[in-house]
Amino acid sequence: MSITIKDVAKKTGVSITTVSQILNGKGQRFSEKTREKVWSAAEELNYKANYFAQNMVTKQTQTIGVIIPDITNTFYSDMIKGIEDYLYENGFMVLLCNSTDNEERENLYLNQLVHRSVDGFIIASSTISDEMIFDLLKKNDKPYILLDRKREEHESDNIIVDDTEGGYVATEHLITLGHRNIGVITSSSSDVNVHNRFVGYKKCMEDYGLLMKEEWIMRETLSMSGGYEAAKKLLQADVSAIFATSDQLAIGVYRAASEVGVCIPEQLSLIGYDDIELASYMSPPLTTIHQPIYEIGKLAAETLIHRIMNPEEAAKNHLVKTRLVVRSSTKVL
Amino acid sequence: MSITIKDVAKKTGVSITTVSQILNGKGQRFSEKTREKVWSAAEELNYKANYFAQNMVTKQTQTIGVIIPDITNTFYSDMIKGIEDYLYENGFMVLLCNSTDNEERENLYLNQLVHRSVDGFIIASSTISDEMIFDLLKKNDKPYILLDRKREEHESDNIIVDDTEGGYVATEHLITLGHRNIGVITSSSSDVNVHNRFVGYKKCMEDYGLLMKEEWIMRETLSMSGGYEAAKKLLQADVSAIFATSDQLAIGVYRAASEVGVCIPEQLSLIGYDDIELASYMSPPLTTIHQPIYEIGKLAAETLIHRIMNPEEAAKNHLVKTRLVVRSSTKVL
DNA sequence: TTGTAAGCGTTATCAC
DNA sequence: GTGATAACGCTTACAA
C-alpha cells in the first residue's frame, strides 16, 4: 500500500507522535536533530498524510463547495475562474455543483456538500430557499457566501453589486441619446440581481417621465435564445432601443435583429449588462454595463476563506461598482 | 455532535455491525423485523454515514477529478456540463481543476487529486506530460480518460474525435466554393486535437494540389483574442477564405474583419470548428464543423464510471463523428 | 440470527 | 525531549 506515518516513524526510529507533531509544525519541543531526521525521511519516502484519516480527526477538507445555475453561461464560468484562481493559491479545491436552476438538484447538492463537510460554500443561485440555507448552513455555523442575489437580511458576509444603479445608468444612457421608446428584456425567474436591473430601468423611466408600455417589457429565460425570442417580439413593437439585462440576452437580440434586417445601431440601439469578454467581439461591439465578474468571484473566495480563518469576526459587506462601457451598439436617435 | 452509527444502534437496541450491514444492503441474514427497525431508526435520526470514516475503510470517494485548461472557454464548459450531468445522475461529484494551461498547476492538481483519492480522472489537457500520467495514474491503476487529445498508444479507454477528417471536410468545403487562397489559424501550443484539424487542412490542400503559403498559416493561442490577432495579419495576405480551427478563434476573426471593413462572407469566407452555441448567433451565423461537445463530456463520464465499476474489462475506444454545418459565413468566390 | 473486535491512518492528550 | 494511548466513525472477518 502507500506510505503511512508508521513508515516514516520506523525509518526515523521515533514514534508516530513525534512524526506527526514535527510534520505539522508543532514540534518545537523536539531536538533539531530529530526534526531534521523526520523531515528528510518523510521527503525521501514521499510521505503524504492520508487525506481521509487526517480529515476524520481535524474535520477540515480544504474544499469549497460552489453551486451555480449554469456553467455554460460565461458569466458564471468567469466567476468560477475567479473563485478557483484564489482558492488554488490558498490550497483549496472546489467541488462543482451545476444546478441547472433545478431546485431539487440544488437541494441535493447542498446536502451532499454538507455531508462531505466542505469548509465553506459559495452559492450563486436564486432558487435555493432561505430555509434550506438556514437549516443546513446558518444553524450549523457553516461559512457561506451568497452571490448574485442581494439580501440585506442575511447575516453572512455579502458581496453586493448595485444592480439597481446599473440598470438606471444603462437606461439613462439610452435616454441621453434621445431614445424615448425603450424596451427591456429581463428574467422570467426570481433572479434578484437581474430583477434589480429592471427596477433601475423603471426608476429611471419614471424619473424622466417616460412611458412604459406593457409590450415593451419582456420576461424570458436568461440565455441567448431567451434574448432572441424576446427581441423578435420587441422588434414588432415601436421601440428604438433595447436594454437587455444581461449580455447573454443581448446576443440573442443581435440575431433577431439581423434576421429581420434591422441594423444595430442605426435602427436599433442596444445595451447589455455584465460586459462578458464576448461583448467587445460582437459586431457592432456591445455597449454594456461592466461588472467585474472575475473579481467578484475572487473576492467571494477571499472573503470566504477569511471567514473560515476568522469565524468570530463580524460579517462584512463588500460593495462592487459597475460602470458604463460605451461601444458601438448604441447611437443618438 | 452529529448522528453516528452508534446512535442508530443504541436506538434500535442492536450492535453497530448489524446497523452497518443492513444499511449497506448486506443484511439479508438479519430478520425482517430487525431490518425494518434499523431502517426506520436511521431515517428518524436522519443518519448519514460519515463520509470520511466511510472512505477510510472503503477507499471510495464518489468523486471524479476533472482537469481542463480553461473553464471560460465555452468548449470546455459545455463539456463539463455533459460530464457533470451524467455524474450527478450517478451519485458522483466533480472536483474542478482549471489549469489555465499552466503545467506546474496541472501537475499540482493531478497530485492533489491522487492525494484525495478520487475514483477517476477526466483530463482534457494537452500540456500534461505522459510521464505524469503514467507515474501517477497508470502505474497505480487509477481509471482515467484523456480527452481532447488523441493518443493511440494509450491503453486507457479513448474518446476519439476524428479531427483530421473534420479539418479536411472544412477545407474541402471552402475549396468546393471556389476558394484557392485559404488561410488557416491553428494553435501555437501542443494541442493534439487542434493540431489534427490543421493536419486535415494540409492534407486536403495537397490532395487538391493547392498552394500553401507560409504567411497563410497562423499559430495563436486558442482564444478570441488569438483569432483576432491572427486575422489581422491574414487580412493583409491575399486570402479569400479562412479556416479557424476553433470557433473561439473564429469569433476573433469577425472582429478583425469588421474593424477593417471586410464583409463576411462577401469579401471573406470563414469557417470555424466546434459549433458552440454562439456560432449560430454570430452575424452572419458561422459555418462550422459540429462536434457534439456536451455528448462527448457525457460519454467520457459514462465510460469512466463503467471502467470504475468494471476494472477488468478491456479498454474500449469510442469514435465520435463530426459534421459540416453550413450557415452564412461562407460563400462561393 | 446477531455481536465482538480488529483495523483504517491520523491527531491530541497526557504521562514519563 | 519523547512516546503510549485514546479517539475519530466506519466496515468486515470471525465468533457465538
Side-chain angles (χ1 to χ4, degrees), chain A residues 320-332:
Chain A
V320 174
K321 296 252 178 208
T322 62
R323 74 165 194 278
L324 173 67
V325 178
V326 179
R327 287 197 270 253
S328 318
S329 65
T330 50
K331 187 175 163 293
V332 291

Side-chain angles (χ1 to χ4, degrees), chain A residues 149-161:
Chain A
R149 155 176 184 162
K150 187 168 90 193
R151 299 196 153 282
E152 288 81 2
E153 72 266 31
H154 271 296
E155 295 142 48
S156 74
D157 303 279
N158 276 300
I159 315 280
I160 299 175
V161 181

Side-chain angles (χ1 to χ4, degrees), chain A residues 71-113:
Chain A
I71 186 76
T72 269
N73 184 322
T74 58
F75 177 81
Y76 292 107
S77 54
D78 276 356
M79 202 170 83
I80 293 257
K81 183 136 185 280
I83 293 172
E84 215 247 13
D85 277 354
Y86 185 86
L87 293 184
Y88 170 75
E89 294 297 338
N90 291 271
F92 282 73
M93 293 191 74
V94 359
L95 265 177
L96 178 69
C97 304
N98 195 255
S99 76
T100 65
D101 261 326
N102 175 335
E103 195 171 344
E104 188 195 332
R105 187 155 166 177
E106 235 154 37
N107 292 342
L108 239 130
Y109 266 142
L110 197 53
N111 273 298
Q112 261 299 319
L113 290 176

